[in-house]
Amino acid sequence: MKLSILASLVASTAAFTAAPQKSGVSSTALDMAKFKPKLQYVPCIDIADLPDPGSATSGVAGGLAICIAVDPSGAVYALGDKCPPVNQPLSFGKVGNDGTIQDPVLGTKFSLKTGDVVGAWCPSGIGKLIGGAFSPIGVPTYPVRKSKNYIEVQVDVNAKANFEANYWSGILDAQGKADGKYY
């Protein structure tokens, strides 16, 4: 009995540990771009909605969820608005004096300049439980600029189209066509 309990404990632990990651080119459909990347500055938030120094807000640029953070000195940064490993909004985080923004739930700090993890990975109470099952990973960062009326973020405007390009291909969609086109 004890042996079977130990075996199931080992098996369940193995299911939640990260497998070694292979480097190289993936052949998944998500990597098969139909449209060439096209980097472009697009409006994300109105200048009037720019948060006070030391805080952050969320916006959308090119179909991507973006966190606009302002450090205590007033510098503006754009990062992906999904905190790994469970994708809660980074824009709810606290912008620190040390050039980081902290995940409000799991406690991980991310560099405003690079998006890399700074310090401990998922150091909060629940973060230790959840974060232990995932390898540390940062968040994407984007070039940002102020225009007359907007905070603009440079993104690949074809990223969403590439992601959705083969979504319905070969499968009957809600309109009943196999190619994903509408009647």
Side-chain angles (χ1 to χ4, degrees):
M1 179 71 173
K2 290 181 183 178
L3 185 58
S4 64
I5 292 173
L6 179 63
S8 42
L9 181 62
V10 169
S12 63
T13 302
F16 291 104
T17 57
Q21 304 226 348
K22 293 188 261 180
S23 62
V25 178
S26 172
S27 62
T28 65
L30 295 176
D31 294 333
M32 303 296 179
K34 286 192 172 190
F35 306 100
K36 292 186 181 196
K38 183 179 178 185
L39 294 177
Q40 187 174 333
Y41 278 96
V42 295
C44 184
I45 63 170
D46 289 334
I47 288 284
D49 295 331
L50 188 64
D52 294 330
S55 57
T57 191
S58 62
V60 175
L64 300 172
I66 303 291
C67 169
I68 301 292
V70 182
D71 73 7
S73 68
V76 179
Y77 298 90
L79 303 96
D81 198 27
K82 303 293 183 190
C83 290
V86 293
N87 291 335
Q88 67 274 8
L90 184 59
S91 54
F92 292 166
K94 181 181 176 185
V95 178
N97 293 330
D98 57 353
T100 64
I101 184 167
Q102 185 175 14
D103 175 345
V105 177
L106 303 178
T108 304
K109 289 185 176 184
F110 300 95
S111 168
L112 291 171
K113 291 181 181 179
T114 65
D116 294 336
V117 174
V118 176
W121 170 250
C122 300
S124 72
I126 193 161
K128 291 179 182 177
L129 293 172
I130 296 171
F134 300 92
S135 298
I137 186 169
V139 294
T141 58
Y142 305 95
V144 64
R145 70 180 184 191
K146 291 181 185 180
S147 70
K148 185 176 180 182
N149 298 319
Y150 299 102
I151 296 296
E152 297 180 337
V153 178
Q154 186 183 45
V155 297
D156 178 4
V157 294
N158 287 337
K160 185 176 179 185
N162 278 327
F163 177 77
E164 295 174 345
N166 291 319
Y167 189 75
W168 290 110
S169 183
I171 300 173
L172 292 178
D173 67 4
Q175 299 294 319
K177 292 182 73 178
D179 64 358
K181 305 282 187 217
Y182 293 102
Y183 292 106

